[in-house]
Amino acid sequence: MKASILGLAAASLLAMSTAHAGGEDPTIRRTTYLQPQGKEGIGAQYRDDMASATTAIHEDNDLPRARTTLLRIAAFCEALARPGVRLVAAQDDAQYEQFIADHPTGEPTQFVDMTCADAFKGLAFIDIETRDRDSAMRRLDQAIALAPAWAD
């Protein structure tokens, strides 16, 4: 799971760093649309902001504006963390219940909107675009930790 996301990130970094003869821009852009998905959970109020960030990335090519929006969403999502409470983002009730069954801890688990995982993933791809590999890997780890069933 994590390997497929990390592989995609590494491939993107490699494509961006490959030199191109003739002085042309060597950047190869890949489109990965991030859209709010599934059942609404905690953080669903940021779905419109997520859509705005996606537009800023894919249509306006405005990474600074997208980063600002995604950082605001990520800050909200990070603030949800509390000792003794697990957070999980899932597509639907079945995926959420499967996570609970597969990872029994007895701790209460809050259903978080996929927007949180999308925001971390979006920040990771912006970090790749700006060649900040370490930050990209941290953000991908955050997305995977929050939405483990979505890591593929």
Side-chain angles (χ1 to χ4, degrees), residues 55-112:
T55 298
I57 293 168
H58 297 292
E59 295 176 20
D60 304 336
N61 198 28
D62 189 347
L63 297 184
R65 181 167 50 98
R67 180 186 297 276
T68 298
T69 301
L70 293 172
L71 284 171
R72 186 173 60 249
I73 298 167
F76 168 84
C77 298
E78 289 169 334
L80 295 173
R82 290 185 307 284
V85 177
R86 296 187 303 175
L87 303 174
V88 66
Q91 297 286 338
D92 53 34
D93 288 327
Q95 194 177 69
Y96 174 80
E97 295 299 332
Q98 188 65 49
F99 174 82
I100 301 297
D102 291 347
H103 305 91
T105 64
E107 293 179 319
T109 305
Q110 291 188 325
F111 191 107
V112 177

Side-chain angles (χ1 to χ4, degrees), residues 132-145:
D132 187 348
R133 182 186 182 281
D134 292 338
S135 181
M137 299 309 262
R138 279 191 305 276
R139 293 300 186 178
L140 288 174
D141 285 342
Q142 286 179 288
I144 292 166

